[in-house]
Amino acid sequence: MTTTTDDTTTDDTKTTGYAAEPPVRLNWSQHAPEVYKAMLRLDTAARRGLDPKLYELVKIRASQLNHCAFCLDMHTKDALAAGESVERIVQLGAWEESRHFYTEKELAAIELTEAVTVLTDGFVPDEVYEKAAAHFEEAELAQLISAIAVINTWNRFGVTCRMTPGHYRPGQHG
């Protein structure tokens, strides 16, 4: 971060030791406001009927897989504000080895999130879908799939436009 005072520029990285904050590549929401507003409406619709903590876990896991630092910043802060524990958020990146931190329903949602997010085989495996279907009623499962699709879209905006993490405050966009 660079600050200017009285025609003098100081580089905060010299005093903090941190790397410089990269600039945002494109403020897409400013240039495509109708798309942004539609995404907000879609996000609101997708979260209906889902447990807020589960919803944030799904968003965090997809954002980890997609390497979206902006969304990781946002959704870890929102998860903490919703009462999620630091321990469960930290363990989410290694959930398969930390299964005992999550309910079977949450594990099914996390596994479905991974399958929908990483379509390397070109499809969501039947066993992953069936496990989720065993823990979620059809309407809730439809909402969960919608939430996974929406966060993947947000991640693509965030990563492509290099949205900068670190400035979000819980509930800011909710």
Side-chain angles (χ1 to χ4, degrees):
M1 174 187 238
T2 303
T3 55
T4 306
T5 359
D6 301 320
D7 296 328
T8 308
T9 301
T10 59
D11 187 352
D12 290 342
T13 61
K14 290 178 186 173
T15 58
T16 64
Y18 292 111
E21 184 176 295
V24 173
R25 186 182 273 168
L26 174 70
N27 186 344
W28 75 271
S29 62
Q30 179 183 7
H31 297 289
E34 293 306 313
V35 175
Y36 179 72
K37 290 175 193 171
M39 283 296 300
L40 289 174
R41 288 190 304 272
L42 186 59
D43 196 287
T44 299
R47 79 176 58 213
R48 285 194 188 118
L50 292 177
D51 174 79
K53 289 182 188 179
L54 175 73
Y55 181 73
E56 294 301 337
L57 289 175
V58 163
K59 287 187 155 210
I60 292 166
R61 187 62 190 135
S63 299
Q64 289 172 334
L65 294 167
N66 288 322
H67 305 280
C68 185
F70 180 84
C71 292
L72 278 170
D73 179 55
M74 175 186 292
H75 297 297
T76 55
K77 289 174 180 174
D78 283 345
L80 289 167
E84 187 55 80
S85 73
V86 171
E87 190 171 45
R88 284 172 31 107
I89 293 169
V90 169
Q91 291 301 319
L92 193 54
W95 68 269
E96 289 175 295
E97 294 142 0
S98 304
R99 298 177 68 83
H100 60 285
F101 286 94
Y102 308 99
T103 67
E104 289 300 321
K105 184 175 183 175
E106 290 168 336
L107 289 167
I110 293 165
E111 192 171 357
L112 183 63
T113 300
E114 288 197 6
V116 172
T117 301
V118 185
L119 292 172
T120 54
D121 294 330
F123 60 92
V124 173
D126 288 340
E127 58 274 7
V128 172
Y129 181 85
E130 290 165 8
K131 190 183 299 181
H135 290 281
F136 294 87
E137 293 188 19
E138 285 186 348
E140 189 179 21
L141 182 58
Q143 291 299 124
L144 176 61
I145 293 167
S146 299
I148 296 167
V150 170
I151 188 56
N152 274 280
T153 303
W154 281 122
N155 289 164
R156 275 133 183 88
F157 285 120
V159 171
T160 303
C161 299
R162 289 195 182 141
M163 295 171 69
T164 308
H167 304 286
Y168 179 78
R169 301 293 168 252
Q172 182 178 331
H173 296 299

